[in-house]
């Protein structure tokens, strides 16, 4: 049995048209088990509240022994790397992790609403983990390769000119992420 945990980013109230919303709908349509929680106070995220909510959603997804694939975008990617919601009993159920467009600590420090997340020290999750990021992400001007992939030894898929990989940069439905969810050998490509 498998399940998917989808975690959104800062100021994201899970709007229809966002690739995560569309991914959750497509997985549901295929009969997959999906947890896609609204994290508390998305406009003014509290690090501890987000960690607790993500850990609770992981426990829900893993219930019954399901193997969990985590898909985290933006601030939730940083949460996953630094606050480690998988550092719980349910964490052993995490099989794969996709971190999309993690913001850099410098970007986070410059934004008071999310500055607390900048203090997190990223570490490599135990599960198979991949980063997907744009080479033109305003939330990570230093680049995901330099800030995360290189230091943590994680594979990186670079999306040319993809911005922060949101609907504003053309990422509504993203078929190759759905393909990757269903088949771990699938390649993630630009929309």
């Amino acid at each position: 049995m498998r399940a998917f945990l989808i975690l959104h980013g800062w100021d994201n109230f899970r709007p229809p048209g966002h690739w995560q919303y569309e991914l959750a709908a497509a997985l549901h349509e295929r009969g997959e088990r999906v947890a896609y929680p609204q994290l508390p106070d998305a406009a003014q995220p509290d690090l501890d509240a987000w960690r607790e909510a993500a850990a609770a959603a992981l426990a829900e997804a893993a219930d019954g022994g399901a193997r969990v694939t985590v898909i985290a975008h933006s601030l939730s990617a940083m949460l996953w790397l630094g606050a480690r919601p998988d550092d719980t009993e349910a964490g052993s159920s995490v099989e794969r992790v996709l971190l999309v467009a993690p913001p850099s600590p410098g970007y986070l420090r410059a934004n008071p609403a999310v500055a607390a997340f900048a203090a997190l020290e990223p570490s490599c999750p135990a599960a198979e983990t991949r980063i997907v990021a744009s080479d033109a992400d305003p939330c990570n001007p230093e680049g995901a390769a330099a800030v995360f992939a290189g230091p943590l030894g994680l594979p990186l898929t670079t999306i040319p000119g993809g911005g922060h990989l949101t609907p504003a940069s053309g990422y509504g439905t993203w078929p190759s992420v759905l393909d990757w969810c269903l088949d771990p050998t699938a390649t993630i490509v630009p929309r």
Side-chain angles (χ1 to χ4, degrees), residues 62 93 123 172:
S93 67
S123 63

Coordinates of all heavy atoms in Angstrom, one line a residue, residues 62 93 123 172:
A62 N 0.7 7.5 6.7 CA 1.4 6.2 6.9 C 0.5 5.2 7.6 O 0.9 4.0 7.7 CB 2.6 6.4 7.8
S93 N 8.2 5.3 7.5 CA 7.3 4.9 6.4 C 7.6 5.7 5.1 O 7.1 5.4 4.1 CB 5.8 5.1 6.8 OG 5.6 6.5 6.9
S123 N 19.5 18.9 6.7 CA 20.2 17.6 6.7 C 19.6 16.7 5.7 O 18.4 16.9 5.4 CB 20.3 17.0 8.1 OG 19.0 16.7 8.5
G172 N 0.8 25.0 -13.6 CA -0.5 24.5 -13.1 C -0.4 23.0 -13.1 O 0.2 22.4 -12.1

